[in-house]
Amino acid sequence: MTFLLFIEQVLNGLQLGTMLFLMAAGLTLVFGIMHLINLAHGSLYMIGAYVAATVQQATGSFTLGLLAALPAAALTGMAMEAIALRRLYDRDHLDQVLATFGLILFFNELVKIVWGPQAYFMAVPEALSGSVEILPGAPYPAYRLAIVATGIAAALFLYLLITRTRIGMLIRAGATNREMVNALGVNVDRLYMLVFGLGAALAGLAGVMAGPLLALEVGMGENILILAFVVIVIGGIGSVRGAFVAALLVGLADTFGRVLLPGALSEMTIYILMAAILVWRPQGLFPAHA
């Protein structure tokens, strides 16, 4: 492997990792705070992508598609939480898995009804359609660099929100002792709904950013959801910092595994990584409540 190819693969790994972080951050927030396993999180990724594609095709603007997709995903997530998931907080995890699997089926059929079974496609925004020469003789797509920048910006935003704001303080307190926060006059149900909406918006953002790189199809959120669960297990369930570090590790491992390893072994790279880390640290790299 040449040095330039190595740098290119590192950037590919970072791009995949930041995309996974956008998915995993919302998932780990919801589980860490509400102790809810939400298999339907990938459906919010799908909805964000479809809404953005529809608006982009109607207006020709990627930016308008993005601006429409984020509130659409957030409102869908908040409605899902209020109507269906709020009743599951005190239920067994098996009940949560079964209920949210049912929501996957519901959203897949809803997308078929609204958009049809055919694949949709998004165009790369014109301003980011070119390449950036990161090193002499090593051009790299500007759009993929924009995905990396978006993921890092989202990580910084979440860090500041959770550690430096009153809302973040309430989120952390609600994760630790819901009854006490409720007794202090905070509407915990509303707080949980806002957290769920934030996680849904991040999933929608991931769907929008992934849209120009792949075909949009029914059930597209399910494959990336598996990777997102791998990320939160490696990083430590409930830890946003852990999700960020683990997402980058998974992205790099998957990218280099596909380049360097043969056949089926390349598909197993991230699971080998997960097994190795869990043998060393069964609680994950940065458990939220260590």
Side-chain angles (χ1 to χ4, degrees), residues 220-287:
M220 63 181 287
E222 288 151 35
N223 289 333
I224 195 170
L225 181 69
I226 295 172
L227 295 178
F229 272 113
V230 170
V231 166
I232 65 172
V233 168
I234 290 175
I237 294 174
S239 170
V240 174
R241 176 180 58 162
F244 183 71
V245 173
L248 297 184
L249 288 175
V250 168
L252 291 168
D254 185 68
T255 300
F256 279 98
R258 293 178 187 278
V259 172
L260 299 175
L261 299 177
L265 190 60
S266 66
E267 303 285 338
M268 298 168 57
T269 309
I270 60 172
Y271 304 107
I272 295 171
L273 173 67
M274 179 174 69
I277 288 176
L278 293 182
V279 166
W280 170 50
R281 286 181 66 84
Q283 73 273 37
L285 295 175
F286 301 100

Side-chain angles (χ1 to χ4, degrees), residues 68 98 102 162:
L98 292 173
I162 293 172

Side-chain angles (χ1 to χ4, degrees), residues 138-243:
Y140 193 77
Y143 183 73
R144 289 180 180 268
L145 291 175
I147 292 176
V148 174
T150 300
I152 292 172
L156 181 61
F157 166 75
L158 284 176
Y159 170 77
L160 294 175
L161 176 70
I162 293 172
T163 64
R164 296 288 188 269
T165 67
R166 183 173 183 273
I167 292 177
M169 177 190 68
L170 293 175
I171 289 172
R172 286 181 280 121
T176 304
N177 194 322
R178 173 177 177 167
E179 290 75 17
M180 180 62 72
V181 173
N182 207 27
L184 292 173
V186 176
N187 188 326
V188 176
D189 287 340
R190 184 180 301 168
L191 178 66
Y192 279 15
M193 182 187 290
L194 291 175
V195 171
F196 205 95
L198 173 61
L202 289 170
L205 176 59
V208 176
M209 301 307 290
L213 303 180
L214 42 82
L216 278 56
E217 55 189 2
V218 175
M220 63 181 287
E222 288 151 35
N223 289 333
I224 195 170
L225 181 69
I226 295 172
L227 295 178
F229 272 113
V230 170
V231 166
I232 65 172
V233 168
I234 290 175
I237 294 174
S239 170
V240 174
R241 176 180 58 162

Side-chain angles (χ1 to χ4, degrees), residues 42-181:
S43 299
L44 301 168
Y45 167 89
M46 176 176 65
I47 287 171
Y50 268 89
V51 170
T54 302
V55 174
Q56 186 189 47
Q57 290 179 10
T59 65
S61 171
F62 178 88
T63 302
L64 289 178
L66 174 64
L67 293 177
L70 295 187
L75 291 173
T76 301
M78 292 166 73
M80 184 196 306
E81 190 274 341
I83 296 170
L85 301 183
R86 189 171 294 176
R87 296 162 176 78
L88 299 173
Y89 292 151
D90 297 325
R91 301 284 290 273
D92 186 88
H93 285 324
L94 178 59
D95 293 339
Q96 297 171 0
V97 167
L98 292 173
T100 54
F101 180 75
L103 286 173
I104 292 176
L105 302 179
F106 168 79
F107 280 112
N108 284 348
E109 290 304 314
L110 179 64
V111 168
K112 283 183 185 178
I113 292 169
V114 176
W115 283 281
Q118 73 279 2
Y120 268 62
F121 298 90
M122 288 183 68
V124 173
E126 187 175 345
L128 298 172
S129 60
S131 298
V132 175
E133 194 163 343
I134 50 176
L135 288 173
Y140 193 77
Y143 183 73
R144 289 180 180 268
L145 291 175
I147 292 176
V148 174
T150 300
I152 292 172
L156 181 61
F157 166 75
L158 284 176
Y159 170 77
L160 294 175
L161 176 70
I162 293 172
T163 64
R164 296 288 188 269
T165 67
R166 183 173 183 273
I167 292 177
M169 177 190 68
L170 293 175
I171 289 172
R172 286 181 280 121
T176 304
N177 194 322
R178 173 177 177 167
E179 290 75 17
M180 180 62 72
V181 173

